Amino acid sequence: METELSRRLGVEHAIFGFTPFPAVAAAISRAGGFGVLGAVRYGAGDELARGLDWMEAHTGGRPYGLDVVMPAKKVGGVSEADVEAMIPDGHRTWVEDLLAKYGVPELAEGDRAGWRITGWMEEVARSQVDVALQYPIRLLANALGSPPADVVERAHARGILVAALAGSARHARHHQEAGIDIVVAQGYEAGGHTGEIATMVLTPEIVRAVDPLPVLAAGGIGSGEQVAAGLALGAQGIWLGSVWLTTTEAELPSRALTEKLLAAGSGDTVRSRALTGKPARQLRTEWTDAWEDPAGPGPLPMPLQGLLVADAVSRIQKYETPELLGSPVGQIVGRMDEERSVADVLDDLTRGFERAITRLNRIAGRE
């Protein structure tokens, strides 16, 4: 599964694996793909440095990248405390009432929410970039539009390629104008933040819009046959995220969540602003349903929503409240019905890709 882009980056397979877990990212790189560590679960400075130190020690010298989240629009405030102060009391009360309805206990005194997405805030993301540029990363990706021009320039000065996710051809052209090197065409089926155009339609639109920039296809891809389809649509690689959540190397917060993902079908996800304030595909739960209820206060904009629900999500995960327990995940969750190692997933993708190519060659009369 080599392409011009994978050869440029020095990887065997044009599989770009996004994950918040260092053990998964490192395993993807060791298995011949390109591991991309998500920075959003980390705070600023030393916390991310520890994660990158671990990557350096466990990738075996294979290339890897980092994904940050730098929103295009700022919400006022220069610190987490400043932004926290902007959250309406009514929203806080509503969240507490919802947790009480399902009997979710408080965190123990002194406990801090383990799920705090302060990485959505530009000043935190910038500090993460400062740290990342001290490491030999080969790719810097931004999940929310084009990074600021100075970030792109700093990455290029160190020979680092810059990628950005796009949900439309218009977004992709904006990335190209901003000097982005790689566009990730993320379709409607994808987990996390995603737009409203399906991967099958979106990928060739973006390939055409930004030619000759390389494009990665993302969203609803979890088999080698789907990898072949993405490359056939003009992509130079595949960006995978959800499929790694049920690998043995993943560090999900609870066994109950793993089992919930394994049991879910393709129709058991929903695009909701409940988690971050922007539409993000995730498991549908009574938590996501409650945020869609017209009787409720409705989600706040990013990053306020993420800070508002940080403690709540940590409590739900810690106490494994079944009705509310969820995770960002794409529609490919319907295929994720067993736990496998990262290496096994890569092997399965390779075999499926070979089957697809053999089938197409037979149809074309080449065999």
PDB file of all heavy atoms in Angstrom, residues 86-121:
ATOM      1  N   MET A  86     -16.586  32.110  31.985  1.00  0.00           N
ATOM      2  CA  MET A  86     -17.588  32.480  30.995  1.00  0.00           C
ATOM      3  C   MET A  86     -18.745  31.486  30.923  1.00  0.00           C
ATOM      4  O   MET A  86     -19.747  31.738  30.251  1.00  0.00           O
ATOM      5  CB  MET A  86     -16.926  32.596  29.618  1.00  0.00           C
ATOM      6  CG  MET A  86     -15.822  33.635  29.542  1.00  0.00           C
ATOM      7  SD  MET A  86     -14.947  33.580  27.963  1.00  0.00           S
ATOM      8  CE  MET A  86     -16.261  34.065  26.843  1.00  0.00           C
ATOM      9  N   ILE A  87     -18.615  30.350  31.611  1.00  0.00           N
ATOM     10  CA  ILE A  87     -19.662  29.322  31.556  1.00  0.00           C
ATOM     11  C   ILE A  87     -20.840  29.740  32.428  1.00  0.00           C
ATOM     12  O   ILE A  87     -20.674  29.996  33.622  1.00  0.00           O
ATOM     13  CB  ILE A  87     -19.099  27.973  32.022  1.00  0.00           C
ATOM     14  CG1 ILE A  87     -17.965  27.524  31.093  1.00  0.00           C
ATOM     15  CG2 ILE A  87     -20.203  26.922  32.077  1.00  0.00           C
ATOM     16  CD1 ILE A  87     -17.240  26.281  31.562  1.00  0.00           C
ATOM     17  N   PRO A  88     -22.044  29.816  31.879  1.00  0.00           N
ATOM     18  CA  PRO A  88     -23.215  30.236  32.668  1.00  0.00           C
ATOM     19  C   PRO A  88     -23.512  29.274  33.815  1.00  0.00           C
ATOM     20  O   PRO A  88     -23.403  28.052  33.668  1.00  0.00           O
ATOM     21  CB  PRO A  88     -24.360  30.233  31.645  1.00  0.00           C
ATOM     22  CG  PRO A  88     -23.685  30.331  30.305  1.00  0.00           C
ATOM     23  CD  PRO A  88     -22.384  29.594  30.461  1.00  0.00           C
ATOM     24  N   ASP A  89     -23.916  29.835  34.931  1.00  0.00           N
ATOM     25  CA  ASP A  89     -24.270  28.998  36.085  1.00  0.00           C
ATOM     26  C   ASP A  89     -25.415  28.049  35.753  1.00  0.00           C
ATOM     27  O   ASP A  89     -25.470  26.921  36.263  1.00  0.00           O
ATOM     28  CB  ASP A  89     -24.650  29.879  37.279  1.00  0.00           C
ATOM     29  CG  ASP A  89     -23.452  30.616  37.861  1.00  0.00           C
ATOM     30  OD1 ASP A  89     -22.308  30.158  37.630  1.00  0.00           O
ATOM     31  OD2 ASP A  89     -23.664  31.646  38.537  1.00  0.00           O
ATOM     32  N   GLY A  90     -26.336  28.504  34.911  1.00  0.00           N
ATOM     33  CA  GLY A  90     -27.472  27.660  34.548  1.00  0.00           C
ATOM     34  C   GLY A  90     -27.054  26.371  33.869  1.00  0.00           C
ATOM     35  O   GLY A  90     -27.661  25.312  34.087  1.00  0.00           O
ATOM     36  N   HIS A  91     -26.032  26.446  33.039  1.00  0.00           N
ATOM     37  CA  HIS A  91     -25.524  25.241  32.392  1.00  0.00           C
ATOM     38  C   HIS A  91     -24.894  24.296  33.413  1.00  0.00           C
ATOM     39  O   HIS A  91     -25.083  23.075  33.342  1.00  0.00           O
ATOM     40  CB  HIS A  91     -24.491  25.606  31.323  1.00  0.00           C
ATOM     41  CG  HIS A  91     -25.086  25.989  30.003  1.00  0.00           C
ATOM     42  ND1 HIS A  91     -25.743  27.189  29.807  1.00  0.00           N
ATOM     43  CD2 HIS A  91     -25.135  25.320  28.812  1.00  0.00           C
ATOM     44  CE1 HIS A  91     -26.161  27.254  28.555  1.00  0.00           C
ATOM     45  NE2 HIS A  91     -25.805  26.139  27.928  1.00  0.00           N
ATOM     46  N   ARG A  92     -24.154  24.859  34.365  1.00  0.00           N
ATOM     47  CA  ARG A  92     -23.532  24.015  35.387  1.00  0.00           C
ATOM     48  C   ARG A  92     -24.600  23.287  36.208  1.00  0.00           C
ATOM     49  O   ARG A  92     -24.482  22.091  36.497  1.00  0.00           O
ATOM     50  CB  ARG A  92     -22.654  24.856  36.306  1.00  0.00           C
ATOM     51  CG  ARG A  92     -21.448  25.489  35.602  1.00  0.00           C
ATOM     52  CD  ARG A  92     -20.561  26.186  36.628  1.00  0.00           C
ATOM     53  NE  ARG A  92     -19.478  26.928  36.005  1.00  0.00           N
ATOM     54  CZ  ARG A  92     -18.334  26.398  35.595  1.00  0.00           C
ATOM     55  NH1 ARG A  92     -18.135  25.095  35.731  1.00  0.00           N
ATOM     56  NH2 ARG A  92     -17.384  27.152  35.039  1.00  0.00           N
ATOM     57  N   THR A  93     -25.650  23.997  36.572  1.00  0.00           N
ATOM     58  CA  THR A  93     -26.728  23.399  37.355  1.00  0.00           C
ATOM     59  C   THR A  93     -27.423  22.299  36.568  1.00  0.00           C
ATOM     60  O   THR A  93     -27.734  21.224  37.100  1.00  0.00           O
ATOM     61  CB  THR A  93     -27.746  24.482  37.759  1.00  0.00           C
ATOM     62  OG1 THR A  93     -27.087  25.469  38.555  1.00  0.00           O
ATOM     63  CG2 THR A  93     -28.887  23.882  38.552  1.00  0.00           C
ATOM     64  N   TRP A  94     -27.648  22.553  35.282  1.00  0.00           N
ATOM     65  CA  TRP A  94     -28.325  21.565  34.435  1.00  0.00           C
ATOM     66  C   TRP A  94     -27.508  20.284  34.345  1.00  0.00           C
ATOM     67  O   TRP A  94     -28.055  19.180  34.423  1.00  0.00           O
ATOM     68  CB  TRP A  94     -28.557  22.160  33.049  1.00  0.00           C
ATOM     69  CG  TRP A  94     -29.379  21.291  32.146  1.00  0.00           C
ATOM     70  CD1 TRP A  94     -30.736  21.224  32.064  1.00  0.00           C
ATOM     71  CD2 TRP A  94     -28.868  20.352  31.185  1.00  0.00           C
ATOM     72  NE1 TRP A  94     -31.112  20.300  31.109  1.00  0.00           N
ATOM     73  CE2 TRP A  94     -29.993  19.763  30.564  1.00  0.00           C
ATOM     74  CE3 TRP A  94     -27.593  19.967  30.798  1.00  0.00           C
ATOM     75  CZ2 TRP A  94     -29.863  18.794  29.558  1.00  0.00           C
ATOM     76  CZ3 TRP A  94     -27.452  18.999  29.799  1.00  0.00           C
ATOM     77  CH2 TRP A  94     -28.581  18.433  29.190  1.00  0.00           C
ATOM     78  N   VAL A  95     -26.186  20.404  34.187  1.00  0.00           N
ATOM     79  CA  VAL A  95     -25.318  19.229  34.123  1.00  0.00           C
ATOM     80  C   VAL A  95     -25.376  18.451  35.430  1.00  0.00           C
ATOM     81  O   VAL A  95     -25.497  17.211  35.434  1.00  0.00           O
ATOM     82  CB  VAL A  95     -23.867  19.634  33.794  1.00  0.00           C
ATOM     83  CG1 VAL A  95     -22.914  18.457  34.002  1.00  0.00           C
ATOM     84  CG2 VAL A  95     -23.764  20.149  32.361  1.00  0.00           C
ATOM     85  N   GLU A  96     -25.307  19.153  36.553  1.00  0.00           N
ATOM     86  CA  GLU A  96     -25.361  18.472  37.852  1.00  0.00           C
ATOM     87  C   GLU A  96     -26.691  17.755  38.039  1.00  0.00           C
ATOM     88  O   GLU A  96     -26.737  16.628  38.564  1.00  0.00           O
ATOM     89  CB  GLU A  96     -25.127  19.473  38.982  1.00  0.00           C
ATOM     90  CG  GLU A  96     -23.691  19.939  39.115  1.00  0.00           C
ATOM     91  CD  GLU A  96     -22.729  18.787  39.365  1.00  0.00           C
ATOM     92  OE1 GLU A  96     -23.099  17.856  40.122  1.00  0.00           O
ATOM     93  OE2 GLU A  96     -21.627  18.808  38.794  1.00  0.00           O
ATOM     94  N   ASP A  97     -27.770  18.374  37.601  1.00  0.00           N
ATOM     95  CA  ASP A  97     -29.087  17.736  37.718  1.00  0.00           C
ATOM     96  C   ASP A  97     -29.164  16.480  36.853  1.00  0.00           C
ATOM     97  O   ASP A  97     -29.760  15.466  37.259  1.00  0.00           O
ATOM     98  CB  ASP A  97     -30.184  18.721  37.308  1.00  0.00           C
ATOM     99  CG  ASP A  97     -30.393  19.841  38.318  1.00  0.00           C
ATOM    100  OD1 ASP A  97     -29.879  19.722  39.448  1.00  0.00           O
ATOM    101  OD2 ASP A  97     -31.044  20.845  37.967  1.00  0.00           O
ATOM    102  N   LEU A  98     -28.558  16.539  35.669  1.00  0.00           N
ATOM    103  CA  LEU A  98     -28.569  15.366  34.788  1.00  0.00           C
ATOM    104  C   LEU A  98     -27.778  14.218  35.401  1.00  0.00           C
ATOM    105  O   LEU A  98     -28.221  13.057  35.392  1.00  0.00           O
ATOM    106  CB  LEU A  98     -27.986  15.748  33.425  1.00  0.00           C
ATOM    107  CG  LEU A  98     -27.916  14.625  32.375  1.00  0.00           C
ATOM    108  CD1 LEU A  98     -29.303  14.099  32.054  1.00  0.00           C
ATOM    109  CD2 LEU A  98     -27.227  15.126  31.108  1.00  0.00           C
ATOM    110  N   LEU A  99     -26.626  14.517  35.977  1.00  0.00           N
ATOM    111  CA  LEU A  99     -25.834  13.476  36.621  1.00  0.00           C
ATOM    112  C   LEU A  99     -26.565  12.895  37.828  1.00  0.00           C
ATOM    113  O   LEU A  99     -26.521  11.677  38.068  1.00  0.00           O
ATOM    114  CB  LEU A  99     -24.479  14.035  37.046  1.00  0.00           C
ATOM    115  CG  LEU A  99     -23.553  14.510  35.919  1.00  0.00           C
ATOM    116  CD1 LEU A  99     -22.273  15.098  36.494  1.00  0.00           C
ATOM    117  CD2 LEU A  99     -23.228  13.382  34.959  1.00  0.00           C
ATOM    118  N   ALA A 100     -27.228  13.753  38.569  1.00  0.00           N
ATOM    119  CA  ALA A 100     -27.986  13.281  39.732  1.00  0.00           C
ATOM    120  C   ALA A 100     -29.121  12.354  39.303  1.00  0.00           C
ATOM    121  O   ALA A 100     -29.430  11.365  39.988  1.00  0.00           O
ATOM    122  CB  ALA A 100     -28.533  14.469  40.514  1.00  0.00           C
ATOM    123  N   LYS A 101     -29.737  12.660  38.168  1.00  0.00           N
ATOM    124  CA  LYS A 101     -30.829  11.828  37.657  1.00  0.00           C
ATOM    125  C   LYS A 101     -30.383  10.384  37.445  1.00  0.00           C
ATOM    126  O   LYS A 101     -31.151   9.439  37.678  1.00  0.00           O
ATOM    127  CB  LYS A 101     -31.341  12.421  36.345  1.00  0.00           C
ATOM    128  CG  LYS A 101     -32.401  11.581  35.647  1.00  0.00           C
ATOM    129  CD  LYS A 101     -32.819  12.221  34.324  1.00  0.00           C
ATOM    130  CE  LYS A 101     -33.802  11.330  33.577  1.00  0.00           C
ATOM    131  NZ  LYS A 101     -34.202  11.937  32.273  1.00  0.00           N
ATOM    132  N   TYR A 102     -29.123  10.191  37.035  1.00  0.00           N
ATOM    133  CA  TYR A 102     -28.616   8.848  36.771  1.00  0.00           C
ATOM    134  C   TYR A 102     -27.736   8.327  37.912  1.00  0.00           C
ATOM    135  O   TYR A 102     -27.080   7.288  37.772  1.00  0.00           O
ATOM    136  CB  TYR A 102     -27.834   8.834  35.455  1.00  0.00           C
ATOM    137  CG  TYR A 102     -28.748   9.014  34.256  1.00  0.00           C
ATOM    138  CD1 TYR A 102     -28.950  10.274  33.705  1.00  0.00           C
ATOM    139  CD2 TYR A 102     -29.427   7.937  33.707  1.00  0.00           C
ATOM    140  CE1 TYR A 102     -29.799  10.459  32.620  1.00  0.00           C
ATOM    141  CE2 TYR A 102     -30.270   8.100  32.619  1.00  0.00           C
ATOM    142  CZ  TYR A 102     -30.457   9.371  32.083  1.00  0.00           C
ATOM    143  OH  TYR A 102     -31.299   9.536  31.012  1.00  0.00           O
ATOM    144  N   GLY A 103     -27.711   9.041  39.027  1.00  0.00           N
ATOM    145  CA  GLY A 103     -26.997   8.575  40.207  1.00  0.00           C
ATOM    146  C   GLY A 103     -25.497   8.520  40.049  1.00  0.00           C
ATOM    147  O   GLY A 103     -24.839   7.628  40.608  1.00  0.00           O
ATOM    148  N   VAL A 104     -24.927   9.462  39.304  1.00  0.00           N
ATOM    149  CA  VAL A 104     -23.475   9.473  39.097  1.00  0.00           C
ATOM    150  C   VAL A 104     -22.807  10.132  40.297  1.00  0.00           C
ATOM    151  O   VAL A 104     -23.050  11.309  40.575  1.00  0.00           O
ATOM    152  CB  VAL A 104     -23.098  10.236  37.811  1.00  0.00           C
ATOM    153  CG1 VAL A 104     -21.587  10.142  37.572  1.00  0.00           C
ATOM    154  CG2 VAL A 104     -23.878   9.701  36.621  1.00  0.00           C
ATOM    155  N   PRO A 105     -21.960   9.418  41.041  1.00  0.00           N
ATOM    156  CA  PRO A 105     -21.321  10.005  42.229  1.00  0.00           C
ATOM    157  C   PRO A 105     -20.364  11.141  41.885  1.00  0.00           C
ATOM    158  O   PRO A 105     -19.903  11.268  40.743  1.00  0.00           O
ATOM    159  CB  PRO A 105     -20.552   8.817  42.839  1.00  0.00           C
ATOM    160  CG  PRO A 105     -21.170   7.595  42.242  1.00  0.00           C
ATOM    161  CD  PRO A 105     -21.608   7.999  40.866  1.00  0.00           C
ATOM    162  N   GLU A 106     -20.064  11.943  42.893  1.00  0.00           N
ATOM    163  CA  GLU A 106     -19.061  13.000  42.744  1.00  0.00           C
ATOM    164  C   GLU A 106     -17.669  12.371  42.666  1.00  0.00           C
ATOM    165  O   GLU A 106     -17.445  11.253  43.131  1.00  0.00           O
ATOM    166  CB  GLU A 106     -19.109  13.925  43.970  1.00  0.00           C
ATOM    167  CG  GLU A 106     -20.414  14.701  44.123  1.00  0.00           C
ATOM    168  CD  GLU A 106     -20.418  15.988  43.329  1.00  0.00           C
ATOM    169  OE1 GLU A 106     -19.389  16.287  42.671  1.00  0.00           O
ATOM    170  OE2 GLU A 106     -21.431  16.688  43.357  1.00  0.00           O
ATOM    171  N   LEU A 107     -16.728  13.102  42.101  1.00  0.00           N
ATOM    172  CA  LEU A 107     -15.334  12.685  42.179  1.00  0.00           C
ATOM    173  C   LEU A 107     -14.861  12.829  43.624  1.00  0.00           C
ATOM    174  O   LEU A 107     -15.353  13.696  44.361  1.00  0.00           O
ATOM    175  CB  LEU A 107     -14.462  13.550  41.266  1.00  0.00           C
ATOM    176  CG  LEU A 107     -14.666  13.392  39.758  1.00  0.00           C
ATOM    177  CD1 LEU A 107     -13.826  14.425  39.012  1.00  0.00           C
ATOM    178  CD2 LEU A 107     -14.311  11.987  39.296  1.00  0.00           C
ATOM    179  N   ALA A 108     -13.952  11.986  44.035  1.00  0.00           N
ATOM    180  CA  ALA A 108     -13.423  12.075  45.386  1.00  0.00           C
ATOM    181  C   ALA A 108     -12.717  13.412  45.579  1.00  0.00           C
ATOM    182  O   ALA A 108     -12.196  14.006  44.624  1.00  0.00           O
ATOM    183  CB  ALA A 108     -12.455  10.927  45.651  1.00  0.00           C
ATOM    184  N   GLU A 109     -12.696  13.895  46.805  1.00  0.00           N
ATOM    185  CA  GLU A 109     -12.059  15.181  47.093  1.00  0.00           C
ATOM    186  C   GLU A 109     -10.592  15.156  46.662  1.00  0.00           C
ATOM    187  O   GLU A 109      -9.848  14.238  46.967  1.00  0.00           O
ATOM    188  CB  GLU A 109     -12.156  15.486  48.594  1.00  0.00           C
ATOM    189  CG  GLU A 109     -11.652  16.870  48.958  1.00  0.00           C
ATOM    190  CD  GLU A 109     -11.858  17.207  50.430  1.00  0.00           C
ATOM    191  OE1 GLU A 109     -12.522  16.426  51.128  1.00  0.00           O
ATOM    192  OE2 GLU A 109     -11.347  18.254  50.848  1.00  0.00           O
ATOM    193  N   GLY A 110     -10.202  16.170  45.949  1.00  0.00           N
ATOM    194  CA  GLY A 110      -8.836  16.240  45.456  1.00  0.00           C
ATOM    195  C   GLY A 110      -8.657  15.652  44.079  1.00  0.00           C
ATOM    196  O   GLY A 110      -7.636  15.885  43.421  1.00  0.00           O
ATOM    197  N   ASP A 111      -9.652  14.865  43.598  1.00  0.00           N
ATOM    198  CA  ASP A 111      -9.556  14.318  42.254  1.00  0.00           C
ATOM    199  C   ASP A 111      -9.773  15.434  41.231  1.00  0.00           C
ATOM    200  O   ASP A 111     -10.609  16.325  41.429  1.00  0.00           O
ATOM    201  CB  ASP A 111     -10.620  13.239  42.026  1.00  0.00           C
ATOM    202  CG  ASP A 111     -10.193  11.895  42.564  1.00  0.00           C
ATOM    203  OD1 ASP A 111      -9.070  11.817  43.100  1.00  0.00           O
ATOM    204  OD2 ASP A 111     -10.976  10.940  42.459  1.00  0.00           O
ATOM    205  N   ARG A 112      -9.036  15.372  40.166  1.00  0.00           N
ATOM    206  CA  ARG A 112      -9.210  16.311  39.062  1.00  0.00           C
ATOM    207  C   ARG A 112      -9.691  15.522  37.859  1.00  0.00           C
ATOM    208  O   ARG A 112      -9.300  14.387  37.649  1.00  0.00           O
ATOM    209  CB  ARG A 112      -7.877  17.000  38.735  1.00  0.00           C
ATOM    210  CG  ARG A 112      -7.906  17.906  37.507  1.00  0.00           C
ATOM    211  CD  ARG A 112      -6.531  18.530  37.295  1.00  0.00           C
ATOM    212  NE  ARG A 112      -6.379  19.134  35.988  1.00  0.00           N
ATOM    213  CZ  ARG A 112      -6.775  20.356  35.674  1.00  0.00           C
ATOM    214  NH1 ARG A 112      -7.376  21.095  36.574  1.00  0.00           N
ATOM    215  NH2 ARG A 112      -6.585  20.850  34.459  1.00  0.00           N
ATOM    216  N   ALA A 113     -10.538  16.124  37.077  1.00  0.00           N
ATOM    217  CA  ALA A 113     -11.046  15.437  35.902  1.00  0.00           C
ATOM    218  C   ALA A 113      -9.892  14.971  35.038  1.00  0.00           C
ATOM    219  O   ALA A 113      -9.004  15.739  34.684  1.00  0.00           O
ATOM    220  CB  ALA A 113     -11.956  16.367  35.102  1.00  0.00           C
ATOM    221  N   GLY A 114      -9.883  13.690  34.697  1.00  0.00           N
ATOM    222  CA  GLY A 114      -8.844  13.175  33.825  1.00  0.00           C
ATOM    223  C   GLY A 114      -9.095  13.540  32.374  1.00  0.00           C
ATOM    224  O   GLY A 114      -8.212  13.441  31.537  1.00  0.00           O
ATOM    225  N   TRP A 115     -10.300  13.934  32.077  1.00  0.00           N
ATOM    226  CA  TRP A 115     -10.679  14.273  30.699  1.00  0.00           C
ATOM    227  C   TRP A 115     -10.892  15.773  30.632  1.00  0.00           C
ATOM    228  O   TRP A 115     -11.969  16.288  30.879  1.00  0.00           O
ATOM    229  CB  TRP A 115     -11.968  13.535  30.332  1.00  0.00           C
ATOM    230  CG  TRP A 115     -12.312  13.594  28.884  1.00  0.00           C
ATOM    231  CD1 TRP A 115     -11.952  12.702  27.920  1.00  0.00           C
ATOM    232  CD2 TRP A 115     -13.105  14.595  28.220  1.00  0.00           C
ATOM    233  NE1 TRP A 115     -12.461  13.093  26.705  1.00  0.00           N
ATOM    234  CE2 TRP A 115     -13.172  14.238  26.862  1.00  0.00           C
ATOM    235  CE3 TRP A 115     -13.752  15.750  28.652  1.00  0.00           C
ATOM    236  CZ2 TRP A 115     -13.871  14.997  25.929  1.00  0.00           C
ATOM    237  CZ3 TRP A 115     -14.435  16.506  27.718  1.00  0.00           C
ATOM    238  CH2 TRP A 115     -14.498  16.126  26.372  1.00  0.00           C
ATOM    239  N   ARG A 116      -9.818  16.510  30.372  1.00  0.00           N
ATOM    240  CA  ARG A 116      -9.926  17.966  30.274  1.00  0.00           C
ATOM    241  C   ARG A 116      -9.327  18.391  28.945  1.00  0.00           C
ATOM    242  O   ARG A 116      -8.129  18.279  28.718  1.00  0.00           O
ATOM    243  CB  ARG A 116      -9.194  18.675  31.415  1.00  0.00           C
ATOM    244  CG  ARG A 116      -9.795  18.401  32.772  1.00  0.00           C
ATOM    245  CD  ARG A 116      -9.232  19.342  33.819  1.00  0.00           C
ATOM    246  NE  ARG A 116      -9.688  20.705  33.655  1.00  0.00           N
ATOM    247  CZ  ARG A 116     -10.871  21.145  34.058  1.00  0.00           C
ATOM    248  NH1 ARG A 116     -11.717  20.329  34.624  1.00  0.00           N
ATOM    249  NH2 ARG A 116     -11.211  22.406  33.894  1.00  0.00           N
ATOM    250  N   ILE A 117     -10.168  18.862  28.041  1.00  0.00           N
ATOM    251  CA  ILE A 117      -9.682  19.173  26.701  1.00  0.00           C
ATOM    252  C   ILE A 117      -9.250  20.628  26.616  1.00  0.00           C
ATOM    253  O   ILE A 117      -9.706  21.401  25.785  1.00  0.00           O
ATOM    254  CB  ILE A 117     -10.730  18.832  25.628  1.00  0.00           C
ATOM    255  CG1 ILE A 117     -12.101  19.447  25.967  1.00  0.00           C
ATOM    256  CG2 ILE A 117     -10.866  17.339  25.467  1.00  0.00           C
ATOM    257  CD1 ILE A 117     -13.114  19.279  24.868  1.00  0.00           C
ATOM    258  N   THR A 118      -8.349  21.008  27.504  1.00  0.00           N
ATOM    259  CA  THR A 118      -7.808  22.362  27.429  1.00  0.00           C
ATOM    260  C   THR A 118      -6.990  22.552  26.162  1.00  0.00           C
ATOM    261  O   THR A 118      -6.684  23.679  25.787  1.00  0.00           O
ATOM    262  CB  THR A 118      -6.920  22.652  28.648  1.00  0.00           C
ATOM    263  OG1 THR A 118      -5.917  21.621  28.744  1.00  0.00           O
ATOM    264  CG2 THR A 118      -7.741  22.675  29.923  1.00  0.00           C
ATOM    265  N   GLY A 119      -6.646  21.437  25.496  1.00  0.00           N
ATOM    266  CA  GLY A 119      -5.934  21.530  24.235  1.00  0.00           C
ATOM    267  C   GLY A 119      -6.728  22.194  23.132  1.00  0.00           C
ATOM    268  O   GLY A 119      -6.188  22.538  22.094  1.00  0.00           O
ATOM    269  N   TRP A 120      -8.055  22.395  23.362  1.00  0.00           N
ATOM    270  CA  TRP A 120      -8.834  23.138  22.374  1.00  0.00           C
ATOM    271  C   TRP A 120      -8.449  24.620  22.385  1.00  0.00           C
ATOM    272  O   TRP A 120      -8.743  25.351  21.444  1.00  0.00           O
ATOM    273  CB  TRP A 120     -10.337  23.055  22.669  1.00  0.00           C
ATOM    274  CG  TRP A 120     -10.910  21.678  22.762  1.00  0.00           C
ATOM    275  CD1 TRP A 120     -11.518  21.118  23.855  1.00  0.00           C
ATOM    276  CD2 TRP A 120     -10.952  20.681  21.743  1.00  0.00           C
ATOM    277  NE1 TRP A 120     -11.921  19.841  23.565  1.00  0.00           N
ATOM    278  CE2 TRP A 120     -11.590  19.557  22.283  1.00  0.00           C
ATOM    279  CE3 TRP A 120     -10.496  20.649  20.432  1.00  0.00           C
ATOM    280  CZ2 TRP A 120     -11.794  18.399  21.543  1.00  0.00           C
ATOM    281  CZ3 TRP A 120     -10.704  19.481  19.691  1.00  0.00           C
ATOM    282  CH2 TRP A 120     -11.351  18.381  20.251  1.00  0.00           C
ATOM    283  N   MET A 121      -7.840  25.090  23.461  1.00  0.00           N
ATOM    284  CA  MET A 121      -7.539  26.510  23.604  1.00  0.00           C
ATOM    285  C   MET A 121      -6.238  26.838  22.881  1.00  0.00           C
ATOM    286  O   MET A 121      -5.242  26.125  22.997  1.00  0.00           O
ATOM    287  CB  MET A 121      -7.441  26.864  25.089  1.00  0.00           C
ATOM    288  CG  MET A 121      -8.742  26.586  25.844  1.00  0.00           C
ATOM    289  SD  MET A 121      -8.541  26.667  27.635  1.00  0.00           S
ATOM    290  CE  MET A 121      -8.073  28.388  27.816  1.00  0.00           C
TER     291      MET A 121
END
